[in-house]
Amino acid sequence: MASGSDRNPIIIGGLPSQVPDFDPEETQEWLDSLDAAVDERGRERARYLMLRLIERAREKRVAVPEMRSTDYVNTIPTRAEPFFPGNEEIERKILNATRWNAAVMVSRAQRPGIGVGGHIATFASSASLYDVGFNHFFRGKDEGDGGDQVFFQGHASPGIYARAFLLDRLSEQNLDGFRQEKSKAPHGLSSYPHPRLMPDFWEFPTVSMGLGPIGAIYQARMNRYMHAREIADTSKSHVWAFLGDGEMDEPESLGQLTIAAREGLDNLTFVVNCNLQRLDGPVRGNGKVIQELESVFRGAGWNVIKLIWDRTWDPLLAQDRDGILVNKMNTTPDGQFQTYATESGAYIRDHFFGDDQRLRAMVEGMTDDQILHLGRGGHDHRKIYAAFKAAVEHKGQPTVILAKTVKGWTLGPNFEGRNATHQMKKLTVDDLKGFRDRLHLPISDKELESGAPPYYHPGRDSEEIQYMHDRRLGLGGYVPTRVVRSKPLALPGDKTYATVKKGSGQQSIATTMAFVRLLKDLMRDKELGRRFVLIAPDEYRTFGMDSFFPSAKIYNPLGQQYESVDRELLLAYKESPTGQMLHDGISEAGCTASLIAAGSAYATHGEPLIPVYVFYSMFGFQRTGDQFWQMADQLARGFVLGATAGRTTLTGEGLQHADGHSQLLASTNPGCVAYDPAFGFEIAHIVQDGLRRMYGPDSENVFYYLTVYNEPIRHPAEPANVDAEGIVKGIYRFSEGTSGSIPAQIMASGVAVPWAVEAQKILAEEWNVKADVWSATSWNELRREAVACEEHNLLHPEEEQRVPYVTRKLAGAQGPFVAVSDWMRAVPDQIARWVPGTYQSLGADGFGFADTRGAARRFFHIDAQSIVVGVLTELAREGKVDRSVLKQAIDRYQLLDVSAADPGAAGGDA
């Protein structure tokens, strides 16, 4: 085996290991030079020379591998910092007032008798980052466009309110209503950024950690998408996401970094507030989170700017000829830096500088107080400005700024850098005095000792306030501000829905395909069609939407730079820079983020988009339920399609694909209007009503969830006297019983309606039961309306008592009532309280499994024969049939033998 320089080396880090050496002598000269530098000047000098060579190689466009991490110093050297255009003294005064009011607001909210608390420390660490953004970068909406989109870190909301107070956007009454939204209405303030609760102020809900980062990525992408399709000019919009270093542990924070790099989203900047602390302790006590995040972002293709040290370190770093100081910075773990933030200057001298004579010599001329105030870059306005400016000017890549700060900065020794600081909500009198002195505010001891601490405002005519207004005027208005400029859309008439309402004739199609056919007709509308945004997680063909490929095309900013393998096919895969379809890969989280960005475009950019997000229903509300709450919080609109729905309809795929509960999960979301339609004409009425509610003259901030199936059935034409109101409200009589003498009612939804119709026939022919079949298009909406009726009746006993729609609708029907669906029983059980008669539900409770549809339905006892027995059981309970018929029916239909069931339509796959 060859050894040493004779063997072909395996070089780690991306350098080629199989390239032949055409000039070994020259190679050896280079290696000897490196050896000499190490031997004569030391490893640190040699390292420096190597880094400069790599830098020069990049300047000369010589391909070399990316370094995963760099030294623990600022990316932008002092000599390269731009001129700072602001008045730093005035900005410091502004920030001091903001810091005070933010902390006092939280402390006052914790007063006896209120005790709703808040968070002080997060904003204290990130205040300078926000202040530079507000004064120099964040664009408002006054120019008529969407301005910049700023995703504020949720726990920093007190500081954003405090700044708005200085600008007279909020009053003292508002600040005293912090976290008291109802009891102090209309002056209450939400705990965190929340558009639904403060629709004129906040744009993006971010406190559910991890959703801010992924939301910002897809917002930046949506900006590019809208610009490419000429829906809105978003060329000036920049997306800012302010995040915590602990927050970056959430999978949603880092999971979609590559799409931002892949699509060159240089309109996006992450600002990670690296105060080195989670909620209860260090982020990486034994490690270095900034270095770790640098490696992650660089590996994902992002531009990384590290902002670690403030200007007080510049003279020391300039002396560091041997690299000993940088080495100390590189090797000190975060946990120790957190400790330094809480200790004295003498401690730092002994423990940081004290273990090397060269380090000690650097600080010999400094006092302990000067050493104590060697600060972090995230608190230095000039260095923050340099980082922000470099970020917005960088082209071709998204940028992340990793800014090192101290949690609880300026709040005093009881708060700064302490593990418990996140939970600390109240400042003592001594804390307040120390805080006031540090901020140099003209507040007397008496004011702090008597009652609640006062807010501070320098006066509307002060130079600080005038400066703030001037800066915002120059940047296009106040931030954050949410403005809805969009106008109602001209919606298509009934003619557009006619084809779907005709039914499928002799052809059997799934409700998924019925929806797709309707979507095609809607997209032909000249005005409405271009506003549809189709979204799917890599399964357009599964849902029969490949028919859109040739016309709508798949959005890709680079277009299609290859010959598609299926290019000869009529429905070939086609990508385009102006494509209408978003193909977000196998990422439901990414797709939902696209859905939210598109669904809120009516407010963000004043141009309504109509997102249609289609996914395997099992992987929707269950997998990304938190994002659907985010969607409701953000007042986003659109259509969500839970395709391949039901616990037994996709049984070939097995347990993980068997959705029997997403309708129940959807019912928990107040912004979600959920339907489980059975036929194409039902879908037509639901979609038409959804477009009216979301995009018509009196638009509502809701989104529609439709569960559709992959099982082919024959769709009947719309009945001549169709009960359109019943379809939209949640229930209508689909099929009235025509024979039999014993009355009963069957209520079904979705794919179960045909089973109910079959059961209706069996009951009439074999058991003399005349059963009506009701299509319950929305169990959820029926319950929601009934609850609203009861709420009104509770509070207005003197008025005529309201009767729920479902009760009124079923009032003339003779029970018993048996409900059935391909969902767990809890879904139809939502309305049991308001059904006027004996009620029983059948459902697919428990885990799903792989088998035929027929076998699965027999196992769960929801097939037609099981419905028959269910109806007979309730009739026997009421004494309308003899109980002996129950055993007869069970034996006749072999309900205890799963294998005896008709397997049903072939399929069960996607």
Side-chain angles (χ1 to χ4, degrees):
M1 179 179 178
S3 61
S5 59
D6 295 329
R7 67 181 178 86
N8 190 17
I10 299 174
I11 302 174
I12 298 173
L15 293 174
S17 59
Q18 300 296 324
V19 176
D21 187 347
F22 292 107
D23 193 341
E25 291 184 8
E26 182 185 29
T27 303
Q28 193 59 50
E29 288 176 5
W30 279 88
L31 294 176
D32 290 343
S33 296
L34 176 61
D35 291 343
V38 173
D39 294 341
E40 296 174 16
R41 304 296 302 277
R43 290 188 177 88
E44 286 302 321
R45 177 61 181 168
R47 180 177 182 274
Y48 175 81
L49 292 172
M50 289 298 299
L51 293 176
R52 288 301 303 272
L53 282 172
I54 292 173
E55 183 179 54
R56 180 55 59 86
R58 290 204 180 98
E59 291 172 0
K60 298 293 185 181
R61 299 188 179 183
V62 177
V64 292
E66 185 71 53
M67 291 180 294
R68 289 196 308 149
S69 66
T70 58
D71 283 327
Y72 200 66
V73 294
N74 295 341
T75 301
I76 302 173
T78 305
R79 65 180 181 278
E81 290 175 8
F83 170 75
F84 180 69
N87 185 319
E88 196 166 5
E89 181 181 355
I90 292 179
E91 291 191 15
R92 180 185 57 77
K93 292 179 179 179
I94 293 169
L95 185 55
N96 287 350
T98 305
R99 286 183 181 278
W100 175 266
N101 291 327
V104 165
M105 178 179 65
V106 173
S107 190
R108 287 167 69 117
Q110 192 61 17
R111 64 191 181 275
I114 302 296
V116 292
H119 297 288
I120 298 176
T122 294
F123 176 72
S125 65
S126 56
S128 296
L129 299 170
Y130 286 116
D131 210 50
V132 172
F134 279 122
N135 288 330
H136 302 285
F137 292 95
F138 302 158
R139 291 181 58 253
K141 297 175 180 289
D142 288 356
E143 295 179 7
D145 62 5
D148 284 356
Q149 291 81 56
V150 185
F151 288 71
F152 294 95
Q153 194 176 358
H155 290 116
S157 61
I160 313 306
Y161 291 141
R163 196 173 208 279
F165 165 69
L166 293 177
L167 289 165
D168 278 341
R169 301 184 65 205
L170 298 175
S171 65
E172 283 196 23
Q173 197 172 7
N174 289 129
L175 298 192
D176 276 344
F178 179 56
R179 293 192 166 197
Q180 300 155 75
E181 298 171 66
K182 301 300 182 184
S183 61
K184 295 296 173 103
H187 305 291
L189 299 179
S190 62
S191 306
Y192 305 117
H194 206 310
R196 183 166 289 276
L197 300 174
M198 296 179 65
D200 300 324
F201 193 85
W202 297 114
E203 282 197 280
F204 307 104
T206 53
V207 81
S208 189
M209 293 190 184
L211 300 192
I214 193 172
I217 289 172
Y218 282 86
Q219 182 62 58
R221 184 185 188 226
M222 184 57 59
N223 290 357
R224 289 286 171 82
Y225 170 89
M226 294 180 71
H227 191 80
R229 295 194 52 226
E230 299 182 347
I231 291 174
D233 182 359
T234 63
S235 58
K236 296 180 181 179
S237 291
H238 198 87
V239 179
W240 300 83
F242 286 80
L243 319 166
D245 47 358
E247 182 179 6
M248 304 312 289
D249 287 341
E250 290 283 8
E252 294 89 352
S253 296
L254 301 175
Q256 293 295 299
L257 296 183
T258 53
I259 190 172
R262 189 165 65 244
E263 299 198 4
L265 298 181
D266 50 25
N267 59 339
L268 171 65
T269 297
F270 276 16
V271 181
V272 184
N273 175 28
C274 298
N275 58 34
L276 314 184
Q277 291 183 243
R278 292 196 184 102
L279 306 185
D280 287 307
V283 178
R284 296 288 186 273
N286 291 325
K288 300 180 78 65
V289 70
I290 291 177
Q291 302 298 83
E292 178 183 319
L293 290 174
E294 179 185 28
S295 297
V296 170
F297 279 92
R298 280 182 180 273
W302 285 53
N303 175 45
V304 179
I305 298 175
K306 291 197 296 192
L307 175 57
I308 299 178
W309 307 115
D310 76 1
R311 70 191 75 174
T312 58
W313 287 91
D314 289 347
L316 297 179
L317 287 165
Q319 300 176 43
D320 190 29
R321 294 193 171 189
D322 296 327
I324 188 64
L325 177 58
V326 171
N327 181 65
K328 185 67 175 180
M329 292 170 167
N330 287 340
T331 56
T332 301
D334 284 353
Q336 193 61 45
F337 277 124
Q338 184 185 345
T339 299
Y340 292 144
T342 68
E343 291 290 346
S344 65
Y347 179 94
I348 298 170
R349 184 191 299 275
D350 291 341
H351 290 80
F352 185 80
F353 295 101
D355 58 0
D356 189 285
Q357 183 178 354
R358 291 167 293 179
L359 286 176
R360 291 196 300 272
M362 284 185 184
V363 295
E364 279 179 351
M366 297 177 66
T367 66
D368 287 348
D369 188 63
Q370 288 175 319
I371 291 176
L372 179 64
H373 288 92
L374 288 169
R376 299 183 179 181
H379 304 306
D380 188 323
H381 278 213
R382 290 179 180 271
K383 293 191 180 292
I384 295 169
Y385 179 85
F388 282 19
K389 188 172 189 292
V392 297
E393 292 178 353
H394 185 78
K395 299 302 178 185
Q397 292 175 290
T399 294
V400 60
I401 297 170
L402 303 173
K404 188 177 181 181
T405 64
V406 176
K407 193 163 188 177
W409 182 241
T410 73
L411 290 174
N414 291 330
F415 285 81
E416 290 180 352
R418 304 292 177 182
N419 280 338
T421 190
H422 188 78
Q423 281 72 32
M424 296 170 70
K425 308 173 188 300
K426 190 171 178 62
L427 293 158
T428 66
V429 172
D430 288 340
D431 289 332
L432 288 165
K433 290 179 178 179
F435 188 33
R436 172 206 59 192
D437 293 343
R438 188 161 181 181
L439 300 179
H440 307 288
L441 297 179
I443 299 172
S444 68
D445 286 353
K446 184 178 179 181
E447 291 176 281
L448 300 180
E449 293 167 354
S450 55
Y455 298 112
Y456 173 71
H457 197 294
R460 290 178 175 82
D461 296 327
S462 67
E463 64 174 351
E464 297 98 303
I465 302 305
Q466 291 306 310
Y467 183 91
M468 295 175 74
H469 284 296
D470 289 346
R471 294 309 306 137
R472 292 317 311 160
L473 182 65
L475 287 166
Y478 298 102
V479 176
T481 298
R482 183 177 179 274
V483 180
V484 178
R485 294 194 179 101
S486 67
K487 297 179 181 179
L489 297 177
L491 301 178
D494 293 343
K495 184 179 179 181
T496 304
Y497 303 89
T499 301
V500 174
K501 291 180 178 180
K502 290 178 181 178
S504 63
Q506 297 302 307
Q507 183 184 13
S508 292
I509 64 170
T511 48
T512 302
M513 186 54 64
F515 178 88
V516 170
R517 289 183 176 181
L518 174 60
L519 184 60
K520 283 183 182 178
D521 291 338
L522 288 169
M523 289 179 65
R524 292 191 181 103
D525 185 270
K526 290 183 179 179
E527 169 57 25
L528 202 70
R530 73 188 188 96
R531 296 188 180 274
F532 281 95
V533 181
L534 309 188
I535 305 167
D538 198 42
E539 297 263 18
Y540 278 120
R541 293 188 191 277
T542 296
F543 307 131
M545 298 177 71
D546 47 343
S547 56
F548 291 104
F549 287 167
S551 56
K553 299 183 179 62
I554 296 155
Y555 171 72
N556 188 323
L558 300 177
Q560 187 163 317
Q561 301 176 356
Y562 60 92
E563 285 190 325
S564 173
V565 68
D566 59 359
R567 62 190 180 279
E568 302 298 332
L569 298 179
L570 178 63
L571 304 181
Y573 192 91
K574 292 185 179 179
E575 300 181 65
S576 167
T578 59
Q580 192 165 357
M581 307 170 77
L582 294 178
H583 203 297
D584 285 342
I586 306 176
S587 171
E588 284 82 5
C591 290
T592 312
S594 286
L595 165 71
I596 296 169
S600 55
Y602 74 93
T604 308
H605 292 294
E607 290 288 349
L609 297 177
I610 309 172
V612 178
Y613 171 30
V614 190
F615 56 86
Y616 272 58
S617 64
M618 185 67 164
F619 308 139
F621 272 89
Q622 174 174 292
R623 180 167 290 184
T624 59
D626 199 12
Q627 286 179 285
F628 283 115
W629 273 95
Q630 183 188 24
M631 183 176 186
D633 288 346
Q634 199 164 315
L635 311 181
R637 305 164 184 171
F639 291 97
V640 179
L641 272 291
T644 63
R647 185 143 282 162
T648 69
T649 307
L650 193 65
T651 43
E653 294 282 356
L655 182 155
Q656 294 89 349
H657 291 66
D659 173 24
H661 53 279
S662 72
Q663 278 284 344
L664 194 63
L665 297 176
S667 74
T668 67
N669 190 315
C672 176
V673 181
Y675 287 92
D676 188 34
F679 305 116
F681 70 85
E682 294 179 357
I683 292 173
H685 283 283
I686 292 166
V687 170
Q688 187 172 19
D689 185 65
L691 287 172
R692 176 191 63 81
R693 287 183 66 182
M694 294 186 287
Y695 300 96
D698 300 312
S699 56
E700 301 175 48
N701 297 315
V702 296
F703 66 95
Y704 271 53
Y705 177 51
L706 278 67
T707 43
V708 290
Y709 300 82
N710 73 319
E711 183 171 3
I713 61 170
R714 290 185 182 178
H715 290 245
E718 178 180 279
N721 298 313
V722 66
D723 182 2
E725 179 190 62
I727 291 173
V728 170
K729 286 186 175 293
I731 192 168
Y732 73 101
R733 194 191 326 251
F734 171 70
S735 175
E736 189 171 355
T738 57
S739 59
S741 61
I742 307 171
Q745 310 297 319
I746 305 172
M747 304 158 69
S749 70
V751 76
V753 174
W755 318 337
V757 172
E758 184 183 351
Q760 177 189 49
K761 180 180 179 183
I762 296 172
L763 284 164
E765 294 176 353
E766 301 182 23
W767 304 100
N768 191 35
V769 174
K770 183 181 180 181
D772 294 343
V773 173
W774 299 78
S775 177
T777 53
S778 180
W779 310 101
N780 295 1
E781 286 302 292
L782 291 174
R783 180 187 184 278
R784 185 170 289 169
E785 190 270 347
V787 168
C789 286
E790 289 200 344
E791 176 75 4
H792 177 272
N793 295 341
L794 175 70
L795 300 175
H796 302 88
E798 75 286 356
E799 297 182 9
E800 182 179 353
Q801 299 293 278
R802 295 179 180 177
V803 179
Y805 182 82
V806 63
T807 306
R808 287 185 279 121
K809 201 70 176 174
L810 300 175
Q814 288 184 269
F817 298 84
V818 174
V820 63
S821 72
D822 207 8
W823 307 97
M824 58 193 301
R825 293 186 183 198
V827 174
D829 281 352
Q830 292 180 95
I831 67 167
R833 173 183 175 86
W834 301 283
V835 174
T838 305
Y839 185 82
Q840 175 183 322
S841 64
L842 305 176
D845 287 72
F847 290 107
F849 50 86
D851 212 310
T852 65
R853 289 170 176 151
R857 289 160 187 169
R858 178 60 52 85
F859 175 84
F860 287 117
H861 300 123
I862 54 176
D863 59 0
Q865 291 75 18
S866 298
I867 296 170
V868 168
V869 173
V871 172
L872 293 175
T873 299
E874 294 308 307
L875 289 170
R877 182 174 289 124
E878 294 185 354
K880 295 177 181 178
V881 300
D882 192 273
R883 289 193 62 80
S884 63
V885 304
L886 302 181
K887 183 67 166 60
Q888 295 175 32
I890 290 171
D891 292 342
R892 180 183 301 182
Y893 304 129
Q894 298 177 275
L895 291 193
L896 301 180
D897 183 2
V898 171
S899 62
D902 183 340
D909 59 357

